Amino acid sequence: MKKVIITALAATMICSAQAQKKTESGGYPITPVPFTSVKVTDAFWGQRLKASREVTIPLAFSKCEETGRYENFVKAANPSSEYVVGGLSFDDTDVYKTIEGASYSMQIYPDKKLEKYIDSVLVIVAAAQEPDGYLFTARTMNPEHPHEWAGSERWEKVEDLSHEFYNLGHMVEGAIAYYQATGKRNFLDIAIKYADCVDREIGDAPGKQVKVPGHQIAEMALAKLYLVTGDKKYLNLAKFFLDKRGYTERTDEYSQAHKPVLEQDEAVGHAVRAAYMYSGMADVAALTGDTGYIHAIDRIWDNVVTKKLYITGGIGATSHGEAFGKNYELPNMSAYCETCAAIGNVYWNYRLFLLHGESKYYDVLERTLYNGLISGISLDGGAFFYPNPLESIGQHQRQPWFGCACCPSNVCRFIPSLPGYIYAVHDHDLYVNLFMSNTSDMKVQGKTVSIVQKTEYPWKGDVQITVNPKGKHTFALKLRVPGWVQDEVVPSNLYKYTDNKDLSYQVKVNGKQVESKLEKGYFTINRAWKKGDVVDVHFDMEPRTVRANNKVEADRGKVSVERGPIVYCAEWPDNDFSVLSVFMNRKPEFTIERKDDLLYGINQIKTEAQTLLYDESGRLQTKDVSLTLIPYYAWAHRGSGEMAVWLPQDLSATRPVMPPTVTSNATVTASHQVRSISAINDGLLPADENDRSVPYYHWWPKEGTTEWITYEFTSPAKISSSSVFWYDDGPWGGCRVPESWKIYYKNNSGEWNAVQNTTEYSTVKGENNRVKFEPVTTTAVKMEVVLPEKNAAGLFEWSVE
């Protein structure tokens, strides 16, 4: 069966000759070179692609088996009122996304065994589909008692929690990828049936329901399905989903439904949903010619890059709603920066480049790709971050899977498609957007051109490009000159370099230097190319210090360090002092050390600095230290400990090491023993009740129970007071201050006795709650907490004196 390769809508970035034929009303003006035409030979990215193929994708399939994802389809094929529907309403998508990633991989590395395995999975998926095409195992396996998020009827909660349209979107994406990889229609036909079911029941026509996706992605997928099938109803449905947003029952910022999409000008709400919607708007705009969508996403993009973008390219400041924060709200330790959001940010910026042809979108894309995205995947491909914070005291570690496994399965489908982001073509222009060793073949004005790119980027700024046209061919080679070479951290004043360094670049053709005025960020070489022509590009690469706009409170008085596209951080294994107490020199000097045997090969950056600490008498001291920095993406591979991207350079931003207390070295145990328990004796207090920049511990989802925490001291200690700063995320979160609390101490017989308090046990939100009691000498103390009847409780800090 003829294989259909489509143009660059969504993660795949796959193109075909048919899709490259632009029409006046549709199709991106710039066409990417498909990943199937690019063979990556790069050491840096080659290792990532190999890990994806050999570790990540097999792991995701195995987790789909272990966690009952496949079993859900089996149950849906044989429904029963006895089934207890658990998990999440979108668990089906982990299967679809993993198949999508495997399909991309098979297009480069054919694997008949893997193909046979996927076919066996699709037999199970097909059996779960209802006769009219509806496929949502969270309802179908037990129609009488479906998933609690599903609603009693189809589409009842699709704008809220059911994710029925979200499931459709990922199903379509996976089905198209598998069709492209194998030529088989088994998955594609399933997806078309479900899309037709939605199209029959959703819309403006009489008898249809007006609903929009609660979680966006169907917009991108349906635009893609239109290109594969040629059936415009799918494009119309994608446009319907966008145009009706803000006019249905859902009108909140969390789901980007607070305004009609054409009126929006600020990135708000759930960051992944937002990035997917903005990408879908670009797709529909490209295919319909509706410039209103473009104007809207241009405005929103400007808001993000000027006020809401992390230095790592991450988006989404807060765990509350996995959402964008307010303008300039960019906390570090509590930064959410979901891996899926980073992937969505790449999708969105990629599409904006395809629309506008400006390098600034690739500057953001590259920053995200090398930092905030791949930090979400361990170097061996077997563990993942959900959020990607910029600071840690050791409470963050990658995991091999999550109950909500959207990030691992999303990584599966993104990494194999990466080669499709390197090149693009528009008429007689050939764009070189990313720098990595590869060989590729493409068409420029209908003629074949082969490219060989050799580089050690991102460690070195030298790139060699050999151009091999089939016969003499005149076209323009457009080389992206990264913003970091041009003294621009991001395309705004959100971040600025502070070291007054003046980097330069140089381009040679066949050994002779050439000049060109930059146009939209590209260095253009327009000439008659012949086989064997060599372009040598050199970008100066030096460590740079960066400051954030002073309106970013979390970064005020601090600097970050980067070199080329790589953001660096300080981590505990490389430094025998608290990296959170480091104090940077006003004019730091840096050295580079290559470490081929560390973290799959990295460049370390070293500089002289100081640390601040209090001695036992409370006197502030300084200590000279040698500070070692590693790439941010590589942190948390060597155990739990401190890490920081932003490092104090002003005294006002310093955080001296506090003198040890009776609790700082105590052993902590709790009724709910989780990694975040380390927060309760870290010495960090929030600025107020709304501050989420410091770690906290909670008992969620427990409600109405009596819980406890104990400190075991290293030696007997005399104590007479205790303070607690409660964590309360009301009104929207699940934690409130407790009903009551009480302190116990362990007597000489090992029994717990209540202290004799001389002041009241208070439970005030937003302040330290201190209780005094008659002095006791003990080796252990326990806090007993009674949770509210219908809420959990938590705390930032518990101290004993």
Side-chain angles (χ1 to χ4, degrees):
M1 183 176 293
K2 183 178 179 181
K3 183 185 292 184
V4 180
I5 306 294
I6 67 174
T7 193
L9 297 178
T12 65
M13 308 310 158
I14 305 171
C15 320
S16 72
Q18 179 183 2
Q20 290 179 22
K21 295 177 180 178
K22 301 293 187 291
T23 64
E24 289 183 2
S25 62
Y28 284 99
I30 297 174
T31 304
V33 174
F35 74 87
T36 50
S37 297
V38 182
K39 182 179 180 181
V40 171
T41 58
D42 192 73
F44 185 91
W45 287 108
Q47 182 268 322
R48 289 282 185 170
L49 290 162
K50 185 173 185 285
S52 175
R53 183 173 69 253
E54 296 181 357
V55 178
T56 309
I57 292 172
L59 173 66
F61 276 131
S62 71
K63 291 297 182 180
C64 286
E65 293 183 23
E66 293 173 15
T67 59
R69 262 65 168 177
Y70 295 158
E71 186 181 358
N72 289 342
F73 290 98
V74 175
K75 288 179 176 178
N78 303 278
S80 169
S81 61
E82 301 298 317
Y83 292 143
V84 176
V85 185
L88 297 167
S89 61
F90 48 86
D91 283 348
D92 295 355
T93 65
D94 294 326
V95 178
Y96 306 150
K97 287 185 280 185
T98 307
I99 290 175
E100 183 182 351
S103 299
Y104 300 153
S105 180
M106 288 193 299
Q107 291 186 61
I108 306 298
Y109 299 95
D111 188 333
K112 289 297 181 183
K113 184 178 179 181
L114 179 57
E115 183 179 336
K116 185 177 180 180
Y117 173 82
I118 294 174
D119 283 338
S120 71
V121 172
L122 292 174
V123 170
I124 300 170
V125 172
Q129 190 163 36
E130 296 186 26
D132 67 349
Y134 184 77
L135 209 175
F136 183 58
T137 68
R139 180 186 310 283
T140 305
M141 71 170 74
N142 186 346
E144 295 180 25
H145 305 287
H147 192 283
E148 61 179 337
W149 291 357
S152 59
E153 298 178 354
R154 291 182 185 181
W155 327 126
E156 180 183 324
K157 292 188 176 182
V158 74
E159 294 185 357
D160 186 14
L161 290 170
S162 78
H163 290 77
E164 286 154 291
F165 296 162
Y166 176 75
N167 283 18
L168 168 67
H170 278 301
M171 179 192 296
V172 169
E173 295 269 358
I176 291 172
Y178 193 63
Y179 176 49
Q180 293 162 348
T182 65
K184 297 177 181 177
R185 292 187 61 96
N186 47 349
F187 197 9
L188 184 63
D189 288 341
I190 295 169
I192 288 174
K193 283 182 66 177
Y194 190 18
D196 289 346
C197 171
V198 174
D199 185 62
R200 284 193 305 271
E201 299 188 17
I202 304 297
D204 273 326
K208 292 187 175 185
Q209 297 185 52
V210 177
K211 300 282 187 178
V212 299
H215 193 312
Q216 300 91 320
I217 198 175
E219 300 86 347
M220 285 191 283
L222 289 166
K224 216 170 172 184
L225 190 58
Y226 157 64
L227 287 172
V228 170
T229 64
D231 194 332
K232 198 169 183 180
K233 70 181 180 184
Y234 303 123
L235 177 61
N236 292 338
L237 183 57
K239 192 174 189 302
F240 172 86
F241 282 158
L242 292 172
D243 292 345
K244 291 300 179 182
R245 197 164 207 90
Y247 293 103
T248 66
E249 295 178 358
R250 193 77 188 260
T251 57
D252 60 332
E253 287 190 349
Y254 173 81
S255 60
Q256 299 78 44
H258 58 300
K259 295 179 182 179
V261 298
L262 296 181
E263 298 176 14
Q264 295 186 27
D265 55 10
E266 180 180 358
V268 296
H270 192 278
V272 180
R273 299 177 186 219
Y276 285 179
M277 185 181 83
Y278 307 150
S279 299
M281 290 168 69
D283 290 346
V284 173
L287 291 167
T288 64
D290 190 333
T291 58
Y293 295 121
I294 300 174
H295 296 324
I297 55 178
D298 283 348
R299 293 193 301 269
I300 298 167
W301 183 87
D302 186 66
N303 171 250
V304 170
V305 298
T306 59
K307 299 176 179 68
K308 298 190 177 185
L309 182 70
Y310 276 91
I311 190 69
T312 57
I315 54 174
T318 174
S319 61
H320 293 276
E322 302 176 332
F324 288 101
K326 299 175 183 177
N327 289 337
Y328 302 106
E329 182 186 354
L330 297 167
N332 292 310
M333 193 175 296
S334 63
Y336 206 67
C337 292
E338 185 179 338
T339 301
C340 286
I343 292 173
N345 201 25
V346 168
Y347 292 164
W348 179 27
N349 278 277
Y350 184 74
R351 285 161 168 75
L352 287 170
F353 161 75
L354 295 177
L355 286 169
H356 298 305
E358 295 183 52
S359 69
K360 64 182 181 180
Y361 304 112
Y362 255 93
D363 288 342
V364 177
L365 187 157
E366 181 183 64
R367 178 169 293 275
T368 305
L369 181 64
Y370 278 93
N371 301 291
L373 195 159
I374 59 173
S375 63
I377 319 143
S378 65
L379 292 164
D380 64 5
F384 312 91
F385 272 140
Y386 198 110
N388 292 268
L390 280 73
E391 188 171 288
S392 180
I393 58 171
Q395 73 272 41
H396 306 96
Q397 281 294 300
R398 295 180 184 85
Q399 303 295 324
W401 198 252
F402 304 96
C404 176
C406 55
C407 294
S409 54
N410 220 359
V411 164
C412 282
R413 73 191 192 109
F414 176 78
I415 293 295
S417 71
L418 173 67
Y421 290 84
I422 302 173
Y423 302 107
V425 175
H426 173 61
D427 293 335
H428 78 295
D429 295 333
L430 170 56
Y431 292 86
V432 181
N433 284 315
L434 292 178
F435 307 105
M436 62 184 76
S437 296
N438 70 85
T439 60
S440 59
D441 295 292
M442 61 205 73
K443 296 282 187 180
V444 181
Q445 290 188 313
K447 296 181 180 179
T448 299
V449 177
S450 296
I451 296 289
V452 178
Q453 187 180 155
K454 295 181 179 180
T455 182
E456 293 182 50
Y457 199 90
W459 311 122
K460 295 182 179 180
D462 296 306
V463 182
Q464 184 180 85
I465 300 171
T466 303
V467 182
N468 294 311
K470 192 173 183 180
K472 202 169 186 179
H473 187 12
T474 299
F475 62 90
L477 186 70
K478 301 183 79 70
L479 306 169
R480 182 177 69 92
V481 179
W484 56 261
V485 181
Q486 303 179 65
D487 208 42
E488 186 176 77
V489 184
V490 296
S492 73
N493 69 348
L494 184 58
Y495 302 104
K496 293 290 186 182
Y497 292 117
T498 64
D499 48 29
N500 295 318
K501 292 181 180 178
D502 187 16
L503 302 190
S504 63
Y505 63 93
Q506 187 179 73
V507 180
K508 295 180 179 180
V509 176
N510 297 328
K512 295 182 179 180
Q513 187 168 333
V514 293
E515 302 293 339
S516 173
K517 182 180 178 181
L518 292 187
E519 297 177 356
K520 295 185 175 182
Y522 288 90
F523 185 102
T524 303
I525 310 172
N526 197 346
R527 58 177 275 139
W529 298 92
K530 64 183 184 301
K531 185 176 181 179
D533 281 344
V534 176
V535 179
D536 288 299
V537 184
H538 171 77
F539 301 128
D540 285 349
M541 266 194 189
E542 293 187 27
R544 307 291 307 271
T545 52
V546 177
R547 284 221 182 199
N549 188 300
N550 203 48
K551 294 178 182 178
V552 182
E553 183 179 357
D555 301 335
R556 204 172 289 159
K558 301 178 181 179
V559 295
S560 64
V561 178
E562 61 184 51
R563 182 177 182 270
I566 302 292
V567 174
Y568 279 73
C569 69
E571 195 188 16
W572 68 274
D574 310 299
N575 301 283
D576 60 357
F577 51 86
S578 171
V579 299
L580 300 181
S581 70
V582 76
F583 186 44
M584 295 288 286
N585 294 341
R586 301 301 295 178
K587 294 182 179 180
E589 295 183 1
F590 299 100
T591 59
I592 309 297
E593 288 190 18
R594 181 65 187 170
K595 297 287 186 179
D596 289 318
D597 58 347
L598 180 63
L599 300 168
Y600 288 74
I602 62 169
N603 281 354
Q604 285 184 337
I605 294 178
K606 296 192 174 185
T607 188
E608 297 303 311
Q610 292 178 306
T611 57
L612 300 182
L613 65 161
Y614 289 102
D615 63 19
E616 293 184 359
S617 66
R619 184 180 179 183
L620 186 63
Q621 296 182 329
T622 63
K623 180 182 177 181
D624 292 334
V625 296
S626 177
L627 177 67
T628 299
L629 307 175
I630 66 166
Y632 168 75
Y633 73 77
W635 82 281
H637 282 90
R638 296 170 288 174
S640 301
E642 294 180 346
M643 180 279 295
V645 169
W646 289 98
L647 307 169
Q649 195 177 43
D650 294 352
L651 282 172
S652 59
T654 57
R655 190 188 304 169
V657 176
M658 302 300 292
T661 66
V662 67
T663 58
S664 61
N665 295 320
T667 300
V668 185
T669 55
S671 56
H672 182 50
Q673 194 76 22
V674 292
R675 188 181 299 276
S676 61
I677 194 70
S678 62
I680 71 169
N681 63 339
D682 61 13
L684 301 178
L685 289 174
D688 55 45
E689 63 190 62
N690 299 313
D691 183 5
R692 298 293 181 266
S693 65
V694 298
Y696 53 87
Y697 166 86
H698 59 71
W699 285 281
W700 191 86
K702 296 184 179 184
E703 298 176 351
T705 58
T706 299
E707 306 296 332
W708 54 267
I709 306 175
T710 65
Y711 281 138
E712 294 279 348
F713 304 142
T714 56
S715 60
K718 186 177 181 180
I719 57 174
S720 59
S721 69
S722 180
S723 300
V724 184
F725 200 116
W726 300 110
Y727 171 74
D728 182 326
D729 59 359
W732 309 115
C735 290
R736 301 293 184 273
V737 295
E739 287 293 319
S740 62
W741 60 293
K742 199 168 187 179
I743 298 296
Y744 296 80
Y745 72 97
K746 186 175 285 187
N747 64 21
N748 293 333
S749 301
E751 299 170 335
W752 290 109
N753 290 342
V755 299
Q756 299 300 309
N757 57 301
T758 58
T759 60
E760 295 296 321
Y761 287 97
S762 60
T763 56
V764 180
K765 179 179 178 179
E767 64 180 55
N768 228 358
N769 293 262
R770 188 183 186 198
V771 61
K772 295 181 180 180
F773 47 82
E774 295 293 338
V776 295
T777 299
T778 183
T779 60
V781 63
K782 177 170 74 171
M783 176 170 61
E784 197 172 80
V785 180
V786 179
L787 306 188
E789 182 180 352
K790 294 184 178 180
N791 287 103
L795 60 148
F796 288 98
E797 192 77 10
W798 174 33
S799 61
V800 178
E801 296 179 359

